[in-house]
Amino acid sequence: MPRIAHAVLDSQSGDACVIRARRHTLTADEAVPHGGTDTGPTPYEILVSALAACTAITLRMVAQRKGWELGSIHVDVELEKDAAGADRIARAVSFSAELTAEQRATFAEIVEKTPVTKTIKAGAPIETKFL
């Protein structure tokens, strides 16, 4: 099976973590009220950021292939948990350009098929080993 993504994390102490993905370095942490030092987004914020980025990138690629002008794309993603602990993700997408009904219908279909959307909706088995 081909590798799609790879990240390595190092944690020295506390909640702050340094993440390396290819040549990029990110920091993840928890907010101060949750015991962290707020030096970076929380893991859940990184998750919804990945969904937002994949959404915008995919829509931009489709628009480019079709020759459609989108202007700027704004993607707002929230993860909520209900009292029972069930997750719900809400995503709102807007464009600075006016879209036709055909474009909106196309994007409504495409947005549900972005790679990260599909992974989140399908779930993925996680195999963990301790070395």
Side-chain angles (χ1 to χ4, degrees), residues 61-78:
M61 289 169 61
V62 169
Q64 187 175 14
R65 275 197 302 266
K66 293 184 171 285
W68 293 346
E69 179 55 45
L70 301 179
S72 61
I73 302 172
H74 180 81
V75 183
D76 187 322
V77 182
E78 290 183 340

Side-chain angles (χ1 to χ4, degrees), residues 33-99:
H34 297 283
T37 56
D38 201 21
T39 58
T42 68
Y44 274 132
E45 290 167 336
I46 293 171
L47 176 69
V48 297
S49 296
L51 178 60
C54 186
T55 299
I57 291 166
T58 303
L59 293 177
R60 185 79 65 196
M61 289 169 61
V62 169
Q64 187 175 14
R65 275 197 302 266
K66 293 184 171 285
W68 293 346
E69 179 55 45
L70 301 179
S72 61
I73 302 172
H74 180 81
V75 183
D76 187 322
V77 182
E78 290 183 340
L79 171 64
E80 300 172 338
K81 283 191 178 286
D82 67 17
D87 297 320
R88 177 182 165 274
I89 296 175
R91 172 174 49 193
V93 183
S94 60
F95 308 92
S96 65
E98 287 291 323
L99 301 183

